[in-house]
Each structure stands twice: as structure tokens, then as C-alpha cells.
Amino acid sequence: MKKKITILMIALLLITLFVTVGCKKEETATPATPAAVVEKTVEAVPAKPAIDKEAVLLAKAKEYFAATAINNNLIKPADVNSMLNDNPDAQIIIDIRSAADFEKGHIAGAYHSDWAKLNDVMEHIPTNRQVVVTCYSGQTAGQAVGALRLAGFNNVKSLQGGMGGWASASLPAEETGARDLSSRPKSTSPKTEEDKIAWEAAKAAFASVAKDGNKLIDSQTLYDTLQTNPKAFTVIDIRSGEDFAKGHVEFATHSAWAEFGNIIPTLPKTGKIVVTCYSGQTAGQTVGVLRAMGYDAYSLKGGMNNGWAKTDLPTVQ
């Protein structure tokens, strides 16, 4: 009996020893947690700073106006006609008058686009050929050229005097159905973020035409309004300083056209601006740039020579 108890006790001891050793082995198999865990940090990529759209447009506007010191972006009807005779494919002509007037008579080979719809066809305007925009008198074509050049179309010019100037030069016109600018292949798009900002600004300016109109103001309206309220408009004359001194619209200030970019930061963002020049065409370009930048800008219809001077309205020296 004692022998059986002894054997049983030995067996129990062996079982206890086996379980204890097994548990220790199991415990040592689990890696210990370090006292301090060093976390691997991923270096954050710095966020790309947001582009200041107003600064981009101002910089491009300053470049545009500075360039006008050597190029007024106008081309004479006779020069356009000569190029057409020498090489019809050397230039693209875009007529932004109404489709009805286009069909009554236009420059041979011209494409048509409503002014307010140029935003839909900018991709169809090439940058590797001379582009000439024409309208009735050159003023709205000037606005189109200003916005397009701001968007990077440095090959675009305005037909001097518009189709009125073409007719005065007794140059030929053809009568055909409208050949829409959208029929040309797409060939142009903005290359950089800055270019895209200017591109979209130009498109917005064209789209605004349907709502805001041509932004031309006649001399009598301007005069009457200023006599009632001299602060109703900020009037800027971009003719030469000499011609400004000889006689200008009362309450107007002067800026050389090539230096106009420098005064843009001083212009009222919420007020109305009127720009005047000789015939209205360079003022038109200026207004095109300002409209793309979000300003409420107008061009004096006919300018000082073809508008104000043909009235009995006074000027001041």
C-alpha cells in the first residue's frame, strides 16, 4: 500500500514538473515588449502654397501693357489683304460680329464666332499663326484681343477700324454662310497653373458679354453722368501726355498706355472705370484686360477723336 502511494506521489510530482517547465518554455517563446518603443516617423510633405490668382493676373497684365510700348496689337486692313493675296494660310481671321452681318459680307476665308461665345472656342485658336480679330469698328475686337493676349495668345491682333475700316479701304468682301471657328481642330490649351488662371479669366470675360454687353459708353452719357456726380466713374485717358494736356474729359486722369499696369492696383474694384484713347481701339484692349481681371470697365465709344470730338462737349486742359 505504501509502495502504491509513493509511486502515485512520484507521478504527480513528474506531472507538476512537466507542466511548470512547459509554461516557462511557452512564456520565453513570447518576445518581451521593449520598455520604450521608438515610433518610425514619416516626414510630412509640405503642402503646396495656394496660387494668388489676383497676383498672377496683375503680373500678366503688367507684361501685356509694357509690351504695348513697341506693339499696339493693331493691323491695317491693307496689310491683312496683302497677306491674304501672298499666302492665304498665313493668318487666321476671326469675325466676332453677328452671324447675320457676317453672311452679308466678310473677309475671304474668315471664321465666325459670336463675341460672347469665344470662351467656348479658345481651344480652336492657333498660336503658331497670326490671328486677326475683327468686329464693326475695332473696339469690341480690341476687347477680345486684350483678353486673349492676357490668356497667352501673343499672336493675336485687332483689325484697325474693324469691318468699317475694311470697307473704307474699298477692299473685297465675300458673301457666304458662316464658317464657325469651332470647325477648326483644337490646338491650344494652357500649359501652367498660372496660364490656366489667365485662360479661365479670359473665358469669364467672354461669357460676361451676354449679360453685361459691349461695355461701350457714349460721350453724352459720360458727360452728363460726370456733371451730376464726378465720382460716378474713374476716367483714365491713355493717350500721350502731350495730347492729354491739350484737352481731355473733365475729371479724367492720365496714364501712358504702356504704364497702365502700374496703376491697376489703385483702381476701384467696386466702382465703374472708363478708359479713353484716340479711336477707342487701344482703350478697348485695356477694357478687355480689366474685364478679365474682374473690373467693371467701359471704353469711350469712338474715343476722343471719333467720339468726343464730334460732339459739342467741352474738354479741359
Side-chain angles (χ1 to χ4, degrees):
M1 184 65 178
K2 288 182 180 181
K3 186 176 182 180
K4 286 182 179 181
I5 292 173
T6 302
I7 293 172
L8 182 59
M9 289 178 66
I10 293 172
L12 289 172
L13 181 62
L14 289 173
I15 290 171
T16 301
L17 181 62
F18 178 80
V19 171
T20 302
V21 172
C23 289
K24 286 184 178 180
K25 285 184 178 180
E26 186 176 338
E27 289 174 1
T28 56
T30 303
T33 302
V37 178
V38 179
E39 294 184 359
K40 185 179 180 180
T41 59
V42 178
E43 187 174 347
V45 178
K48 189 176 181 179
I51 297 178
D52 187 334
K53 293 183 179 181
E54 289 191 2
V56 168
L57 292 177
L58 179 59
K60 287 184 176 291
K62 286 184 175 182
E63 291 177 6
Y64 170 86
F65 289 113
T68 64
I70 56 174
N71 183 7
N72 64 8
N73 309 320
L74 297 175
I75 185 168
K76 295 179 180 179
D79 293 335
V80 172
N81 190 56
S82 294
M83 289 184 67
L84 285 174
N85 292 331
D86 294 340
N87 183 1
D89 296 326
Q91 59 189 338
I92 299 294
I93 299 170
I94 304 173
D95 193 322
I96 61 172
R97 297 175 300 158
S98 71
D101 288 332
F102 179 89
E103 292 181 12
K104 289 177 182 177
H106 55 265
I107 300 171
Y111 290 91
H112 177 262
S113 172
D114 288 339
W115 181 24
K117 294 182 180 179
L118 278 174
N119 58 303
D120 295 327
V121 291
M122 284 173 57
E123 293 86 353
H124 300 269
I125 301 174
T127 55
N128 60 351
R129 295 160 68 180
Q130 179 172 278
V131 174
V132 178
V133 183
T134 185
C135 61
Y136 295 96
S137 66
Q139 284 197 265
T140 55
Q143 289 193 40
V145 167
L148 287 172
R149 280 189 167 258
L150 188 73
F153 291 90
N154 297 322
N155 57 323
V156 177
K157 294 187 175 185
S158 177
L159 181 66
Q160 191 166 356
M163 290 306 293
W166 186 269
S168 296
S170 300
L171 295 173
E174 64 178 18
E175 299 177 10
T176 60
R179 185 168 64 151
D180 200 86
L181 184 58
S182 63
S183 64
R184 285 188 51 79
K186 292 183 178 181
S187 59
T188 311
S189 61
K191 300 296 187 296
T192 66
E193 287 299 317
E194 288 76 11
D195 291 341
K196 187 175 181 181
I197 289 171
W199 182 280
E200 293 301 324
K203 294 185 77 169
F206 294 134
S208 73
V209 173
K211 177 173 65 74
D212 299 329
N214 59 19
K215 292 290 188 175
L216 301 181
I217 184 169
D218 66 83
S219 299
Q220 190 67 57
T221 300
L222 178 61
Y223 176 80
D224 291 344
T225 305
L226 289 174
Q227 293 305 304
T228 303
N229 179 10
K231 295 183 179 180
F233 294 104
T234 298
V235 184
I236 305 168
D237 192 321
I238 60 173
R239 295 175 301 159
S240 70
E242 181 182 359
D243 287 331
F244 177 81
K246 289 178 181 178
H248 56 266
V249 176
E250 190 177 9
F251 309 115
T253 59
H254 178 262
S255 171
W257 190 28
E259 298 172 3
F260 193 90
N262 296 327
I263 70 167
I264 290 179
T266 69
L267 299 178
K269 288 292 286 187
T270 56
K272 296 181 184 297
I273 302 163
V274 175
V275 184
T276 183
C277 62
Y278 294 98
S279 65
Q281 294 176 89
T282 55
Q285 292 183 43
T286 305
V287 168
V289 173
L290 290 176
R291 289 184 75 169
M293 297 179 73
Y295 289 91
D296 188 9
Y298 298 75
S299 175
L300 180 65
K301 190 174 183 179
M304 293 302 292
N305 291 351
N306 300 330
W308 197 276
K310 292 186 177 181
T311 68
D312 294 327
L313 299 174
T315 59
V316 297
Q317 295 181 344

